[in-house]
Amino acid sequence: MGSFANGQKLTQSWNGTYVQSGADATVTNAGWSATIPANGGSVEFGFLASRSGTANDPPGSFRLNDSPCVSG
């Protein structure tokens, strides 16, 4: 999923299960969302996070299925 700076830690997720090791976090599907239907199918997930310290830089290096995500 992505890399989090400044002691940011995921604290909750929905429609996916997260694992975080240091700054790196990975989210896997929720089982029911393993297959996305063709022709307009979609799946969404979300998360909440916390941080420690005073800095709060945006998370970076997001990837989906090993492909980099680009904000647009």
XYZ file of all heavy atoms in Angstrom:
511
model
N 0.823 -1.175 0.000
C 0.000 0.000 0.000
C 0.872 1.244 0.000
O 0.864 1.987 -0.946
C -0.922 -0.005 1.209
C -1.763 1.237 1.324
S -2.831 1.176 2.743
C -2.634 2.808 3.355
N 1.626 1.486 1.078
C 2.382 2.719 1.101
C 3.388 2.795 2.226
O 3.546 1.880 3.022
N 4.048 3.926 2.268
C 5.067 4.193 3.264
C 4.661 5.438 4.044
O 4.296 6.454 3.451
C 6.405 4.413 2.571
O 7.407 4.655 3.503
N 4.722 5.366 5.366
C 4.269 6.437 6.237
C 5.454 7.012 7.006
O 6.275 6.277 7.530
C 3.211 5.914 7.217
C 1.946 5.511 6.531
C 1.821 4.269 5.937
C 0.881 6.395 6.462
C 0.657 3.910 5.283
C -0.287 6.046 5.818
C -0.402 4.800 5.228
N 5.511 8.330 7.083
C 6.626 9.015 7.733
C 6.257 9.471 9.135
O 5.098 9.398 9.540
C 7.022 10.231 6.891
N 7.232 9.966 9.871
C 7.023 10.674 11.135
C 6.284 9.871 12.197
O 5.509 10.428 12.971
C 6.278 11.993 10.902
C 6.875 12.824 9.789
O 6.218 13.041 8.797
N 8.112 13.260 9.917
N 6.486 8.572 12.245
C 5.833 7.762 13.269
C 4.350 7.546 13.041
O 3.629 7.154 13.949
N 3.872 7.794 11.820
C 2.463 7.559 11.510
C 2.176 6.063 11.542
O 2.956 5.265 11.045
C 2.118 8.139 10.138
C 2.325 9.631 10.052
C 2.418 10.133 8.633
O 2.804 9.405 7.728
N 2.097 11.397 8.438
N 1.058 5.703 12.146
C 0.677 4.291 12.262
C -0.794 4.123 11.928
O -1.631 4.920 12.360
C 0.923 3.788 13.674
C 2.383 3.812 14.059
C 2.656 2.894 15.231
C 4.099 2.939 15.656
N 5.060 2.583 14.679
N -1.096 3.101 11.141
C -2.499 2.777 10.878
C -3.127 2.288 12.178
O -2.494 1.555 12.941
C -2.615 1.698 9.804
C -2.057 2.048 8.426
C -2.322 0.919 7.450
C -2.620 3.340 7.904
N -4.355 2.691 12.423
C -5.044 2.294 13.646
C -6.343 1.559 13.367
O -6.863 0.873 14.240
C -5.351 3.517 14.527
O -6.156 4.444 13.782
C -4.071 4.193 14.990
N -6.886 1.686 12.159
C -8.153 1.052 11.818
C -8.288 1.019 10.296
O -7.778 1.911 9.607
C -9.308 1.861 12.415
C -10.667 1.267 12.224
C -11.747 2.131 12.865
O -11.546 3.298 13.157
N -12.905 1.541 13.069
N -8.957 -0.014 9.778
C -9.230 -0.066 8.342
C -10.591 -0.699 8.117
O -11.120 -1.385 8.988
C -8.150 -0.864 7.602
O -8.200 -2.221 7.952
N -11.153 -0.444 6.942
C -12.405 -1.102 6.564
C -12.295 -1.548 5.115
O -11.584 -0.972 4.316
C -13.625 -0.209 6.794
C -13.531 1.173 6.213
C -14.023 1.584 5.000
C -12.904 2.311 6.796
N -13.744 2.910 4.809
C -13.058 3.384 5.899
C -12.236 2.541 7.997
C -12.573 4.660 6.155
C -11.751 3.811 8.240
C -11.923 4.844 7.339
N -12.965 -2.648 4.826
C -12.935 -3.301 3.514
C -11.542 -3.800 3.144
O -11.222 -3.954 1.976
C -13.488 -2.399 2.419
C -14.935 -2.058 2.627
O -15.655 -2.777 3.316
N -15.396 -0.977 2.049
N -10.710 -4.069 4.139
C -9.371 -4.602 3.937
C -8.709 -4.838 5.281
O -9.153 -4.319 6.302
N -7.670 -5.641 5.274
C -6.919 -5.953 6.488
C -5.504 -5.403 6.327
O -4.859 -5.659 5.313
C -6.862 -7.480 6.704
O -8.199 -7.974 6.778
C -6.125 -7.824 7.975
N -5.028 -4.652 7.314
C -3.701 -4.047 7.188
C -2.685 -4.728 8.096
O -3.008 -5.290 9.127
C -3.747 -2.542 7.480
C -3.951 -2.180 8.933
C -2.876 -2.035 9.799
C -5.225 -1.978 9.446
C -3.060 -1.691 11.126
C -5.421 -1.634 10.776
C -4.336 -1.498 11.608
O -4.519 -1.169 12.921
N -1.429 -4.638 7.655
C -0.261 -5.034 8.437
C 0.740 -3.913 8.253
O 0.968 -3.450 7.130
C 0.339 -6.371 7.932
C 1.622 -6.692 8.660
C -0.656 -7.506 8.069
N 1.339 -3.457 9.347
C 2.334 -2.396 9.250
C 3.599 -2.832 9.956
O 3.568 -3.335 11.065
C 1.807 -1.090 9.865
C 2.765 0.056 9.688
C 2.142 1.406 10.019
O 0.995 1.504 10.425
N 2.914 2.453 9.838
N 4.737 -2.629 9.287
C 6.045 -2.904 9.851
C 6.881 -1.643 9.663
O 7.260 -1.304 8.538
C 6.694 -4.091 9.145
O 7.994 -4.309 9.640
N 7.118 -0.925 10.751
C 7.823 0.351 10.645
C 6.996 1.324 9.838
O 5.813 1.518 10.085
N 7.595 1.919 8.823
C 6.896 2.895 7.989
C 6.061 2.256 6.890
O 5.185 2.886 6.327
C 7.913 3.849 7.359
N 6.322 0.987 6.588
C 5.645 0.323 5.469
C 4.370 -0.373 5.910
O 4.362 -1.126 6.885
C 6.577 -0.695 4.812
C 7.793 -0.028 4.188
O 7.644 1.089 3.650
O 8.874 -0.620 4.239
N 3.283 -0.135 5.167
C 1.991 -0.751 5.459
C 1.473 -1.453 4.207
O 1.667 -0.977 3.086
C 0.986 0.294 5.916
N 0.802 -2.578 4.420
C 0.200 -3.351 3.345
C -1.242 -3.637 3.707
O -1.544 -3.990 4.845
C 0.954 -4.685 3.146
O 2.319 -4.405 2.857
C 0.355 -5.504 2.034
N -2.142 -3.480 2.746
C -3.550 -3.813 2.936
C -3.903 -4.917 1.958
O -3.572 -4.845 0.775
C -4.455 -2.584 2.696
C -5.924 -2.974 2.796
C -4.136 -1.478 3.684
N -4.566 -5.953 2.446
C -5.049 -7.038 1.587
C -6.572 -7.015 1.566
O -7.214 -6.439 2.442
C -4.554 -8.412 2.073
O -4.943 -8.590 3.439
C -3.042 -8.513 1.978
N -7.132 -7.653 0.561
C -8.588 -7.623 0.391
C -9.304 -8.257 1.582
O -8.699 -8.951 2.388
C -8.990 -8.306 -0.917
C -8.708 -9.792 -0.899
O -9.203 -10.512 -0.051
N -7.895 -10.260 -1.823
N -10.581 -8.000 1.650
C -11.392 -8.475 2.772
C -12.011 -9.837 2.505
O -12.941 -10.231 3.184
C -12.491 -7.456 3.067
N -11.526 -10.571 1.541
C -12.100 -11.879 1.217
C -13.231 -11.730 0.211
O -13.125 -12.192 -0.914
N -14.293 -11.049 0.607
C -15.426 -10.848 -0.301
C -15.043 -9.938 -1.461
O -15.708 -9.923 -2.491
C -16.632 -10.269 0.447
C -16.351 -8.951 1.119
C -15.957 -8.749 2.408
C -16.410 -7.663 0.522
N -15.765 -7.420 2.651
C -16.043 -6.720 1.510
C -16.736 -7.190 -0.755
C -15.981 -5.363 1.265
C -16.677 -5.827 -0.976
C -16.316 -4.933 0.023
N -13.959 -9.182 -1.329
C -13.563 -8.238 -2.374
C -12.373 -8.732 -3.199
O -11.716 -7.948 -3.867
C -13.221 -6.883 -1.746
O -12.131 -7.014 -0.849
N -12.112 -10.031 -3.165
C -10.948 -10.570 -3.869
C -11.092 -10.475 -5.388
O -10.114 -10.354 -6.104
C -10.702 -12.015 -3.458
N -12.317 -10.521 -5.899
C -12.555 -10.435 -7.334
C -13.423 -9.218 -7.617
O -14.519 -9.095 -7.077
C -13.269 -11.703 -7.851
O -12.459 -12.841 -7.532
C -13.486 -11.641 -9.345
N -12.930 -8.338 -8.458
C -13.682 -7.146 -8.825
C -14.433 -7.444 -10.121
O -13.829 -7.852 -11.111
C -12.743 -5.942 -9.025
C -11.957 -5.681 -7.727
C -13.535 -4.709 -9.444
C -10.862 -4.650 -7.878
N -15.757 -7.272 -10.120
C -16.531 -7.565 -11.329
C -16.098 -6.685 -12.510
O -15.753 -5.509 -12.323
C -17.967 -7.237 -10.934
C -17.973 -7.195 -9.446
C -16.592 -6.823 -9.021
N -16.141 -7.271 -13.710
C -15.821 -6.519 -14.927
C -16.939 -5.520 -15.212
O -18.009 -5.571 -14.603
C -15.661 -7.483 -16.093
N -16.701 -4.642 -16.163
C -17.710 -3.678 -16.631
C -18.227 -2.775 -15.520
O -19.406 -2.798 -15.169
C -18.878 -4.392 -17.318
C -18.429 -5.198 -18.513
O -17.587 -4.733 -19.261
N -18.950 -6.393 -18.673
N -17.339 -1.999 -14.947
C -17.752 -1.000 -13.975
C -17.695 -1.427 -12.527
O -18.113 -0.678 -11.657
N -17.193 -2.617 -12.231
C -17.077 -3.046 -10.846
C -16.035 -2.212 -10.112
O -15.110 -1.667 -10.718
N -16.203 -2.070 -8.820
C -15.222 -1.322 -8.046
C -15.178 -1.841 -6.619
O -16.108 -2.488 -6.154
C -15.569 0.175 -8.039
O -16.776 0.395 -7.350
N -14.079 -1.556 -5.967
C -13.888 -1.891 -4.559
C -13.199 -0.702 -3.914
O -12.295 -0.109 -4.506
C -13.024 -3.160 -4.386
C -12.705 -3.409 -2.929
C -13.708 -4.364 -4.999
N -13.621 -0.335 -2.724
C -13.003 0.762 -1.997
C -12.560 0.270 -0.634
O -13.136 -0.660 -0.089
C -14.001 1.906 -1.809
C -14.458 2.537 -3.101
C -15.469 3.652 -2.881
O -15.654 4.083 -1.727
O -16.062 4.097 -3.872
N -11.529 0.901 -0.103
C -11.122 0.649 1.271
C -10.694 1.972 1.882
O -10.457 2.948 1.191
C -10.005 -0.401 1.365
C -8.636 0.144 1.072
C -7.810 0.547 2.113
C -8.176 0.255 -0.220
C -6.549 1.062 1.857
C -6.919 0.762 -0.491
C -6.108 1.156 0.555
N -10.633 1.988 3.188
C -10.211 3.194 3.875
C -9.458 2.844 5.133
O -9.434 1.688 5.559
N -8.840 3.860 5.732
C -8.092 3.623 6.965
C -8.032 4.899 7.788
O -8.217 6.002 7.271
C -6.677 3.111 6.671
C -5.818 4.088 5.911
C -5.042 5.034 6.577
C -5.770 4.057 4.532
C -4.239 5.928 5.883
C -4.974 4.950 3.827
C -4.205 5.881 4.506
N -7.782 4.719 9.063
C -7.484 5.809 9.979
C -6.067 5.600 10.476
O -5.601 4.467 10.571
C -8.448 5.816 11.165
C -9.921 6.038 10.830
C -10.766 5.901 12.090
C -10.136 7.385 10.186
N -5.395 6.684 10.805
C -4.009 6.595 11.267
C -3.773 7.611 12.379
O -4.550 8.546 12.565
C -3.043 6.845 10.112
N -2.706 7.397 13.117
C -2.287 8.345 14.150
C -0.815 8.658 13.909
O -0.159 8.026 13.090
C -2.491 7.749 15.544
O -1.617 6.646 15.733
N -0.302 9.640 14.637
C 1.112 9.981 14.495
C 1.683 10.349 15.854
O 0.958 10.669 16.791
C 1.303 11.133 13.522
C 0.752 12.444 14.062
C 1.031 13.582 13.104
N 0.327 14.777 13.477
C 0.833 15.749 14.224
N 2.063 15.659 14.685
N 0.120 16.811 14.521
N 2.992 10.303 15.939
C 3.691 10.774 17.129
C 4.659 11.867 16.692
O 5.101 11.897 15.554
C 4.433 9.621 17.808
O 5.381 9.067 16.918
N 4.958 12.780 17.574
C 5.869 13.865 17.229
C 5.144 15.042 16.623
O 3.922 15.061 16.513
N 5.913 16.038 16.198
C 5.313 17.260 15.684
C 5.177 17.273 14.171
O 4.297 17.927 13.639
C 6.139 18.490 16.117
O 7.479 18.311 15.664
C 6.126 18.652 17.625
N 6.039 16.570 13.457
C 5.963 16.540 11.990
C 4.815 15.635 11.554
O 4.466 14.676 12.232
C 7.279 16.034 11.411
N 4.221 15.968 10.419
C 3.126 15.157 9.886
C 3.156 15.222 8.362
O 2.243 15.721 7.719
C 1.777 15.649 10.427
C 0.665 14.663 10.145
O 0.915 13.490 9.924
N -0.552 15.145 10.143
N 4.252 14.715 7.786
C 4.390 14.721 6.333
C 3.379 13.774 5.705
O 3.002 12.769 6.311
C 5.805 14.283 5.935
C 6.855 15.287 6.386
O 6.558 16.495 6.360
O 7.953 14.861 6.789
N 2.939 14.058 4.471
C 1.985 13.157 3.818
C 2.625 11.794 3.557
O 3.820 11.717 3.283
C 1.642 13.852 2.515
C 2.536 15.027 2.383
C 3.276 15.202 3.668
N 1.825 10.734 3.640
C 2.341 9.410 3.283
C 2.764 9.417 1.816
O 2.271 10.213 1.023
C 1.157 8.469 3.499
C 0.163 9.243 4.280
C 0.431 10.687 4.036
N 3.663 8.521 1.463
C 4.126 8.476 0.084
C 4.268 7.059 -0.425
O 4.000 6.099 0.282
N 4.670 6.934 -1.656
C 4.989 5.649 -2.275
C 3.816 4.680 -2.292
O 3.979 3.505 -2.027
C 6.166 4.981 -1.561
O 7.274 5.824 -1.506
N 2.620 5.145 -2.594
C 1.480 4.230 -2.664
C 1.561 3.364 -3.905
O 1.981 3.811 -4.970
C 0.164 5.020 -2.667
C -0.229 5.498 -1.306
C 0.068 6.781 -0.898
C -0.888 4.656 -0.427
C -0.284 7.221 0.355
C -1.242 5.091 0.832
C -0.944 6.374 1.224
N 1.155 2.093 -3.735
C 1.167 1.128 -4.838
C -0.107 0.301 -4.785
O -0.640 0.059 -3.721
C 2.383 0.216 -4.733
C 3.703 0.965 -4.757
C 4.903 0.060 -4.619
N 5.161 -0.741 -5.811
C 5.679 -0.289 -6.938
N 5.987 0.976 -7.055
N 5.888 -1.090 -7.945
N -0.570 -0.123 -5.950
C -1.714 -1.028 -6.052
C -1.291 -2.178 -6.940
O -0.920 -1.969 -8.100
C -2.923 -0.315 -6.641
C -4.158 -1.166 -6.880
C -4.692 -1.730 -5.566
C -5.232 -0.382 -7.602
N -1.310 -3.399 -6.380
C -0.854 -4.585 -7.125
C 0.528 -4.370 -7.739
O 0.770 -4.665 -8.897
C -1.867 -4.985 -8.199
C -3.161 -5.454 -7.610
O -3.202 -5.948 -6.483
N -4.237 -5.287 -8.345
N 1.423 -3.808 -6.957
C 2.810 -3.542 -7.349
C 2.980 -2.474 -8.425
O 4.053 -2.314 -8.986
C 3.540 -4.823 -7.771
C 4.309 -5.412 -6.623
O 4.510 -4.719 -5.603
O 4.730 -6.577 -6.731
N 1.922 -1.721 -8.721
C 2.029 -0.604 -9.665
C 1.929 0.703 -8.886
O 1.045 0.834 -8.029
C 0.907 -0.659 -10.704
O 1.028 -1.809 -11.484
N 2.810 1.658 -9.150
C 2.751 2.919 -8.404
C 1.464 3.688 -8.693
O 0.963 3.679 -9.815
C 3.958 3.706 -8.926
C 4.575 2.912 -10.006
C 3.870 1.606 -10.115
N 0.925 4.323 -7.653
C -0.250 5.181 -7.809
C 0.229 6.609 -8.013
O 1.187 7.051 -7.403
C -1.127 5.117 -6.555
S -1.813 3.491 -6.246
N -0.454 7.330 -8.882
C -0.099 8.705 -9.182
C -1.310 9.571 -8.883
O -2.405 9.282 -9.346
C 0.308 8.843 -10.669
C 0.654 10.282 -10.993
C 1.452 7.911 -10.994
N -1.101 10.618 -8.071
C -2.216 11.508 -7.798
C -2.481 12.355 -9.021
O -1.576 12.700 -9.771
C -1.926 12.382 -6.577
O -0.796 13.190 -6.815
N -3.736 12.668 -9.226
C -4.010 13.374 -10.443
C -5.050 14.365 -10.320
O -5.539 15.034 -11.041
